[in-house]
PDB file of all heavy atoms in Angstrom:
ATOM      1  N   ALA E 323      10.559  98.625  60.479  1.00  0.00           N
ATOM      2  CA  ALA E 323      10.939  97.910  59.267  1.00  0.00           C
ATOM      3  C   ALA E 323      10.903  98.861  58.076  1.00  0.00           C
ATOM      4  O   ALA E 323      10.024  99.691  57.952  1.00  0.00           O
ATOM      5  CB  ALA E 323       9.974  96.753  59.019  1.00  0.00           C
ATOM      6  N   GLN E 324      11.915  98.743  57.211  1.00  0.00           N
ATOM      7  CA  GLN E 324      11.982  99.541  55.984  1.00  0.00           C
ATOM      8  C   GLN E 324      12.068  98.601  54.799  1.00  0.00           C
ATOM      9  O   GLN E 324      12.744  97.577  54.850  1.00  0.00           O
ATOM     10  CB  GLN E 324      13.195 100.476  56.008  1.00  0.00           C
ATOM     11  CG  GLN E 324      13.143 101.534  57.114  1.00  0.00           C
ATOM     12  CD  GLN E 324      14.318 102.481  57.056  1.00  0.00           C
ATOM     13  OE1 GLN E 324      15.432 102.075  56.695  1.00  0.00           O
ATOM     14  NE2 GLN E 324      14.101 103.727  57.412  1.00  0.00           N
ATOM     15  N   PHE E 325      11.375  98.946  53.724  1.00  0.00           N
ATOM     16  CA  PHE E 325      11.316  98.100  52.543  1.00  0.00           C
ATOM     17  C   PHE E 325      11.858  98.863  51.338  1.00  0.00           C
ATOM     18  O   PHE E 325      11.742 100.089  51.251  1.00  0.00           O
ATOM     19  CB  PHE E 325       9.867  97.669  52.262  1.00  0.00           C
ATOM     20  CG  PHE E 325       9.256  96.875  53.363  1.00  0.00           C
ATOM     21  CD1 PHE E 325       8.744  97.468  54.531  1.00  0.00           C
ATOM     22  CD2 PHE E 325       9.195  95.483  53.293  1.00  0.00           C
ATOM     23  CE1 PHE E 325       8.179  96.737  55.537  1.00  0.00           C
ATOM     24  CE2 PHE E 325       8.628  94.728  54.311  1.00  0.00           C
ATOM     25  CZ  PHE E 325       8.124  95.354  55.442  1.00  0.00           C
ATOM     26  N   SER E 326      12.439  98.132  50.406  1.00  0.00           N
ATOM     27  CA  SER E 326      12.943  98.725  49.171  1.00  0.00           C
ATOM     28  C   SER E 326      13.012  97.654  48.098  1.00  0.00           C
ATOM     29  O   SER E 326      12.981  96.451  48.402  1.00  0.00           O
ATOM     30  CB  SER E 326      14.311  99.372  49.390  1.00  0.00           C
ATOM     31  OG  SER E 326      15.259  98.404  49.805  1.00  0.00           O
ATOM     32  N   PHE E 327      13.130  98.074  46.858  1.00  0.00           N
ATOM     33  CA  PHE E 327      13.332  97.135  45.766  1.00  0.00           C
ATOM     34  C   PHE E 327      14.740  96.575  45.823  1.00  0.00           C
ATOM     35  O   PHE E 327      15.647  97.199  46.395  1.00  0.00           O
ATOM     36  CB  PHE E 327      13.084  97.811  44.409  1.00  0.00           C
ATOM     37  CG  PHE E 327      11.625  97.888  44.021  1.00  0.00           C
ATOM     38  CD1 PHE E 327      10.817  98.925  44.477  1.00  0.00           C
ATOM     39  CD2 PHE E 327      11.056  96.915  43.201  1.00  0.00           C
ATOM     40  CE1 PHE E 327       9.486  98.998  44.117  1.00  0.00           C
ATOM     41  CE2 PHE E 327       9.723  96.966  42.855  1.00  0.00           C
ATOM     42  CZ  PHE E 327       8.931  98.009  43.317  1.00  0.00           C
ATOM     43  N   LEU E 328      14.911  95.381  45.248  1.00  0.00           N
ATOM     44  CA  LEU E 328      16.203  94.727  45.213  1.00  0.00           C
ATOM     45  C   LEU E 328      17.291  95.667  44.714  1.00  0.00           C
ATOM     46  O   LEU E 328      18.417  95.675  45.227  1.00  0.00           O
ATOM     47  CB  LEU E 328      16.121  93.478  44.318  1.00  0.00           C
ATOM     48  CG  LEU E 328      17.426  92.747  43.992  1.00  0.00           C
ATOM     49  CD1 LEU E 328      18.028  92.152  45.260  1.00  0.00           C
ATOM     50  CD2 LEU E 328      17.186  91.668  42.955  1.00  0.00           C
ATOM     51  N   HIS E 329      16.964  96.466  43.716  1.00  0.00           N
ATOM     52  CA  HIS E 329      17.903  97.452  43.163  1.00  0.00           C
ATOM     53  C   HIS E 329      17.073  98.620  42.672  1.00  0.00           C
ATOM     54  O   HIS E 329      15.940  98.463  42.195  1.00  0.00           O
ATOM     55  CB  HIS E 329      18.722  96.837  42.012  1.00  0.00           C
ATOM     56  CG  HIS E 329      19.926  97.627  41.637  1.00  0.00           C
ATOM     57  ND1 HIS E 329      19.875  98.723  40.815  1.00  0.00           N
ATOM     58  CD2 HIS E 329      21.230  97.469  41.989  1.00  0.00           C
ATOM     59  CE1 HIS E 329      21.091  99.220  40.653  1.00  0.00           C
ATOM     60  NE2 HIS E 329      21.939  98.468  41.354  1.00  0.00           N
ATOM     61  N   GLU E 330      17.618  99.824  42.784  1.00  0.00           N
ATOM     62  CA  GLU E 330      16.862 101.012  42.406  1.00  0.00           C
ATOM     63  C   GLU E 330      16.475 100.978  40.925  1.00  0.00           C
ATOM     64  O   GLU E 330      15.421 101.481  40.537  1.00  0.00           O
ATOM     65  CB  GLU E 330      17.689 102.273  42.686  1.00  0.00           C
ATOM     66  CG  GLU E 330      16.884 103.560  42.583  1.00  0.00           C
ATOM     67  CD  GLU E 330      17.708 104.788  42.913  1.00  0.00           C
ATOM     68  OE1 GLU E 330      18.892 104.640  43.264  1.00  0.00           O
ATOM     69  OE2 GLU E 330      17.166 105.904  42.781  1.00  0.00           O
ATOM     70  N   THR E 331      17.319 100.386  40.070  1.00  0.00           N
ATOM     71  CA  THR E 331      16.978 100.291  38.658  1.00  0.00           C
ATOM     72  C   THR E 331      15.743  99.447  38.414  1.00  0.00           C
ATOM     73  O   THR E 331      15.004  99.668  37.452  1.00  0.00           O
ATOM     74  CB  THR E 331      18.157  99.709  37.842  1.00  0.00           C
ATOM     75  OG1 THR E 331      18.534  98.440  38.418  1.00  0.00           O
ATOM     76  CG2 THR E 331      19.350 100.626  37.874  1.00  0.00           C
ATOM     77  N   LEU E 332      15.483  98.489  39.321  1.00  0.00           N
ATOM     78  CA  LEU E 332      14.301  97.646  39.194  1.00  0.00           C
ATOM     79  C   LEU E 332      13.044  98.476  39.509  1.00  0.00           C
ATOM     80  O   LEU E 332      12.017  98.337  38.849  1.00  0.00           O
ATOM     81  CB  LEU E 332      14.402  96.447  40.128  1.00  0.00           C
ATOM     82  CG  LEU E 332      13.443  95.282  39.886  1.00  0.00           C
ATOM     83  CD1 LEU E 332      13.583  94.766  38.460  1.00  0.00           C
ATOM     84  CD2 LEU E 332      13.703  94.169  40.888  1.00  0.00           C
ATOM     85  N   GLN E 333      13.128  99.351  40.506  1.00  0.00           N
ATOM     86  CA  GLN E 333      12.014 100.250  40.805  1.00  0.00           C
ATOM     87  C   GLN E 333      11.746 101.171  39.637  1.00  0.00           C
ATOM     88  O   GLN E 333      10.584 101.394  39.260  1.00  0.00           O
ATOM     89  CB  GLN E 333      12.322 101.085  42.067  1.00  0.00           C
ATOM     90  CG  GLN E 333      11.199 102.068  42.414  1.00  0.00           C
ATOM     91  CD  GLN E 333      11.499 102.863  43.685  1.00  0.00           C
ATOM     92  OE1 GLN E 333      12.378 102.505  44.458  1.00  0.00           O
ATOM     93  NE2 GLN E 333      10.774 103.945  43.879  1.00  0.00           N
ATOM     94  N   GLU E 334      12.794 101.677  39.012  1.00  0.00           N
ATOM     95  CA  GLU E 334      12.621 102.578  37.873  1.00  0.00           C
ATOM     96  C   GLU E 334      12.024 101.843  36.680  1.00  0.00           C
ATOM     97  O   GLU E 334      11.242 102.415  35.914  1.00  0.00           O
ATOM     98  CB  GLU E 334      13.983 103.173  37.483  1.00  0.00           C
ATOM     99  CG  GLU E 334      14.516 104.116  38.559  1.00  0.00           C
ATOM    100  CD  GLU E 334      15.939 104.588  38.267  1.00  0.00           C
ATOM    101  OE1 GLU E 334      16.607 103.955  37.406  1.00  0.00           O
ATOM    102  OE2 GLU E 334      16.385 105.564  38.886  1.00  0.00           O
ATOM    103  N   PHE E 335      12.376 100.570  36.520  1.00  0.00           N
ATOM    104  CA  PHE E 335      11.799  99.762  35.431  1.00  0.00           C
ATOM    105  C   PHE E 335      10.305  99.518  35.664  1.00  0.00           C
ATOM    106  O   PHE E 335       9.497  99.599  34.724  1.00  0.00           O
ATOM    107  CB  PHE E 335      12.547  98.416  35.332  1.00  0.00           C
ATOM    108  CG  PHE E 335      11.804  97.379  34.546  1.00  0.00           C
ATOM    109  CD1 PHE E 335      11.680  97.490  33.168  1.00  0.00           C
ATOM    110  CD2 PHE E 335      11.232  96.291  35.180  1.00  0.00           C
ATOM    111  CE1 PHE E 335      10.987  96.542  32.428  1.00  0.00           C
ATOM    112  CE2 PHE E 335      10.542  95.329  34.455  1.00  0.00           C
ATOM    113  CZ  PHE E 335      10.424  95.448  33.067  1.00  0.00           C
ATOM    114  N   MET E 336       9.915  99.234  36.914  1.00  0.00           N
ATOM    115  CA  MET E 336       8.532  98.913  37.214  1.00  0.00           C
ATOM    116  C   MET E 336       7.626 100.142  37.163  1.00  0.00           C
ATOM    117  O   MET E 336       6.426 100.015  36.916  1.00  0.00           O
ATOM    118  CB  MET E 336       8.435  98.278  38.606  1.00  0.00           C
ATOM    119  CG  MET E 336       9.105  96.926  38.756  1.00  0.00           C
ATOM    120  SD  MET E 336       8.318  95.634  37.772  1.00  0.00           S
ATOM    121  CE  MET E 336       6.714  95.510  38.546  1.00  0.00           C
TER     122      MET E 336
END
Side-chain angles (χ1 to χ4, degrees):
Q324 295 183 327
F325 298 80
S326 60
F327 277 85
L328 172 65
H329 195 278
E330 192 179 357
T331 55
L332 196 57
Q333 179 178 344
E334 293 172 345
F335 163 71
M336 295 295 294

